[in-house]
Amino acid sequence: MPIMQSRRSRHTQLPRQILATCAVGAFFLTSAGSPLLSSEARAASCADLARLALPDATFTKVETIDAGGWHSPQTNLSRIMTAPGMNLAGHPVQAANPAFCRVAMMLHPSSDSAIQTEIWLPLQGWNGKLLGVGNFGWAGSLMYDGMVTGLGEGYAVASTDTGHDSSTPEGQGGRFTLGHPEKLVDYAYRADHLMTVMAKQLVRRFYGKDASHVYWIGCSLGGLEGLIEAKRYPDDYDGIVAGAPPNPIVNFNGEQLWAGWMSYHDPALRVGREKFQLLNRAVMAACASPVGKSQGFLDEPDKCGFEPKQLLCGGKDTKGCLTANEVKAVEQIYRGPVDPKTGKVIFPGPAKGSEDGFSADGKAFPVALDLFRYAAFQNPAWDWTTLKWDTDIASATSKLGPLLHVDDNLTPFFKRGGKLLMYIGWNDGHNPQELAGYYQALMQHAGPEEQKAARLIEIPGMGHCYGGAGCDTFNKLGAIDAWVVRHDAPQTIIASRVESGKVVRTRPLCAWPQVARYDGHGPMTTAASFTCVVPE
């Protein structure tokens, strides 16, 4: 998961403190004597929501935002979230917000909790549904741009910073977990669940009825959050879209440290960027289809039989070949780290076709490093170069697995009718074959009917959650809604490649194990020229 730093505006606390107790059909008084609405009372207006009595919650801002009046803080996160491939509804360009009631609150389920949460409620045109928007990186900020998208589609929307503020030094990366076990619990699952509970209550109070359907959409950390919700709280959501979920996260972050660790301990295995680019060109030449060669990616990386040794220098090292050590390094990156005692791969390395993003420079990947030194080992001075691939991975898993790992049994979620759509890009550092293995394990636990409740989409040419040369822009929200409401399972989804706000080509995304194959006749830039087939 790429790390994100986001600066979020501080909200001014209202003079009224909301009491942490509630009683049906009753009113409460603040110290100023103003009445509070009980948890069962309906609010007559946006402002009235500030008088609701909600447990373990303090309202920090309740206001009406006019149409076009919202402007998200400009941060690295907003730059990513406004990329077309991250648009939850598949829009090439983000539209301005409709008018809404903005409710910001601080949740404090423990004495060390401070969970910033916002729920936005459309003032007109509410479609009767609620959307939770997942986080990115180490979280620490609200997903405002995703909220704007959902709002524009008629949804009430909710987001949380998961209990820490990444705009502060102590809130950056994984530092917030150091000495704060309650904050780690908030980050792992409690913040998302409580956000969902509060959002459902506010929807009921504001509109006078429950949301008809509730969805979750997130990628990277947001994808993992979706799986955790499905596992821990199967009643929270009716449909979950989980993009590139890093699960199990200890193993995944171990793989992110692997190339740096390997090349630190053996400097001969360090590989320069130009050699990775050479490798990528060779892989493309050997394995890309005519469409892939034209558009710049491998269509089916798992079918690529190219081996790095085919580039082995016959003698002297040149720009056009790989040395024996470079071949060895690349082979080990593809393979991923191995438990030295069992010989089992801890987490597979990235897929072929993604070599342009490889690195073997003897340095640690910061996001992964934080998981071990802060969250797992509670030691800022922990030396990542001493990582032991048998005992340290096991130790970190024993501490973080119960909080952040999701096993392959989501039967309670499926049995109550929940739908799960997972997706991942073939040019992601997370190898889609690993996610396909998890999907297959899910299906083994599920019964015949429950097996119909999950789908996996593997996207050629897409990077981590978005970007890359492939078609990365598609309507995630529309797909999950059609599945839940109309029982229209997503077998094929049309995705777009967007440049400068314009769609330049389209392509079908096929439910795994099917892949999109070009018919050899129509334009390569048009989805109608492709058919979803099961590969041989």
Side-chain angles (χ1 to χ4, degrees):
M1 299 177 293
I3 193 167
M4 228 95 32
Q5 297 181 5
S6 175
R7 184 164 298 277
R8 171 169 42 80
S9 60
R10 287 290 193 181
H11 306 309
T12 304
Q13 186 169 327
L14 294 180
R16 301 188 184 98
Q17 289 282 339
I18 303 304
L19 300 181
T21 58
C22 59
V24 176
F27 284 86
F28 303 95
L29 293 179
T30 65
S31 58
S34 301
L36 294 178
L37 298 179
S38 78
S39 62
E40 294 301 315
R42 180 180 178 184
S45 68
C46 180
D48 283 339
L49 290 174
R51 299 193 295 116
L52 284 172
L54 297 175
D56 300 325
T58 302
F59 289 93
T60 55
K61 188 176 288 291
V62 179
E63 61 181 349
T64 297
I65 304 294
D66 294 333
W70 175 261
H71 302 284
S72 299
Q74 295 304 295
T75 65
N76 186 47
L77 178 61
S78 63
R79 179 189 63 80
I80 290 171
M81 286 302 298
T82 53
M86 292 296 286
N87 190 282
L88 306 186
H91 297 311
V93 178
Q94 177 66 62
N97 68 279
F100 66 97
C101 174
R102 179 193 182 195
V103 180
M105 61 177 66
M106 183 76 77
L107 306 181
H108 35 82
S110 79
S111 60
D112 197 28
S113 295
I115 305 168
Q116 290 281 0
T117 300
E118 293 199 20
I119 297 97
W120 294 0
L121 306 160
L123 295 181
Q124 294 181 335
W126 179 50
N127 64 12
K129 303 164 193 172
L130 171 64
L131 171 67
V133 183
N135 299 89
F136 210 74
W138 272 102
S141 57
L142 281 82
M143 305 298 281
Y144 288 124
D145 295 291
M147 296 176 76
V148 171
T149 301
L151 199 70
E153 299 298 304
Y155 288 80
V157 292
S159 178
T160 173
D161 67 359
T162 73
H164 64 284
D165 185 350
S166 63
S167 70
T168 64
E170 64 275 11
Q172 292 178 5
R175 293 178 181 86
F176 70 94
T177 65
L178 189 62
H180 294 280
E182 294 294 340
K183 289 187 182 297
L184 181 56
V185 171
D186 290 336
Y187 170 80
Y189 59 85
R190 188 162 56 193
D192 291 329
H193 173 60
L194 293 181
M195 174 201 79
T196 305
V197 171
M198 292 297 179
K200 288 181 178 181
Q201 290 191 42
L202 286 179
V203 162
R204 186 184 309 122
R205 301 305 154 229
F206 192 64
Y207 298 112
K209 61 181 181 180
D210 291 326
S212 59
H213 299 293
V214 188
Y215 306 136
W216 174 276
I217 301 182
C219 193
S220 192
L221 172 63
L224 177 58
E225 289 174 300
L227 293 184
I228 291 172
E229 273 287 324
K231 180 66 181 181
R232 285 184 174 271
Y233 307 104
D235 293 331
D236 274 4
Y237 290 93
D238 303 303
I240 291 174
V241 181
N247 179 56
I249 196 169
V250 169
N251 303 56
F252 174 73
N253 281 170
E255 187 276 330
Q256 288 183 309
L257 288 176
W258 166 242
W261 184 95
M262 170 194 74
S263 52
Y264 173 87
H265 285 279
D266 187 353
L269 299 182
R270 296 183 186 182
V271 182
R273 178 168 171 74
E274 68 284 351
K275 290 297 185 81
F276 285 131
Q277 292 173 329
L278 167 69
L279 176 63
N280 180 250
R281 290 192 296 270
V283 169
M284 288 290 296
C287 299
S289 71
V291 174
K293 289 178 180 177
S294 170
Q295 299 177 1
F297 55 86
L298 288 190
D299 302 79
E300 300 174 40
D302 53 332
K303 300 295 189 296
C304 181
F306 181 87
E307 296 297 335
K309 62 185 177 183
Q310 294 174 237
L311 286 177
L312 182 63
C313 299
K316 181 179 175 182
D317 180 15
T318 69
K319 293 182 179 180
C321 65
L322 299 179
T323 66
N325 280 325
E326 288 170 338
V327 168
K328 180 181 178 182
V330 171
E331 290 175 341
Q332 293 195 21
I333 291 173
Y334 281 139
R335 183 202 64 194
V338 170
D339 184 320
K341 288 184 178 178
T342 66
K344 183 179 178 182
V345 173
I346 292 169
F347 202 93
K352 289 175 181 175
S354 58
E355 299 80 11
D356 196 32
F358 288 6
S359 175
D361 56 6
K363 298 178 182 178
F365 191 59
V367 168
L369 177 59
D370 276 11
L371 180 108
F372 288 94
R373 64 178 172 179
Y374 293 126
F377 300 140
Q378 294 285 300
N379 178 12
W382 179 73
D383 184 358
W384 71 282
T385 67
T386 67
L387 190 153
K388 298 177 178 59
W389 293 98
D390 48 2
T391 56
D392 284 347
I393 296 296
S395 176
T397 297
S398 69
K399 295 171 182 175
L400 299 181
L403 296 174
L404 291 163
H405 288 189
V406 182
D407 66 24
D408 51 19
N409 187 353
L410 300 182
T411 299
F413 174 71
F414 295 138
K415 277 189 175 297
R416 64 164 293 271
K419 311 300 183 187
L420 173 64
L421 174 61
M422 297 187 292
Y423 69 94
I424 191 168
W426 272 109
N427 282 36
D428 197 318
H430 181 170
N431 194 321
Q433 289 179 283
E434 185 279 333
L435 191 56
Y438 178 72
Y439 171 81
Q440 290 173 293
L442 282 179
M443 295 301 93
Q444 288 174 359
H445 272 112
E449 286 303 310
E450 288 77 47
Q451 288 179 355
K452 302 175 184 177
R455 292 289 187 277
L456 169 64
I457 302 288
E458 296 178 340
I459 306 174
M462 189 177 84
H464 184 58
C465 296
Y466 76 109
C471 292
D472 66 341
T473 303
F474 62 102
N475 190 353
K476 308 165 187 67
L477 187 51
I480 197 68
D481 184 49
W483 196 1
V484 171
V485 175
R486 300 196 302 270
H487 308 291
D488 185 7
Q491 288 300 118
T492 303
I493 300 174
I494 304 302
S496 303
R497 168 75 177 176
V498 178
E499 296 178 2
S500 301
K502 304 293 184 182
V503 174
V504 297
R505 64 176 184 264
T506 58
R507 181 186 179 101
L509 306 178
C510 311
W512 188 91
Q514 292 189 326
V515 297
R517 293 269 176 87
Y518 175 54
D519 65 9
H521 303 292
M524 293 181 179
T525 56
T526 304
S529 302
F530 295 80
T531 303
C532 290
V533 300
V534 177
E536 308 81 31

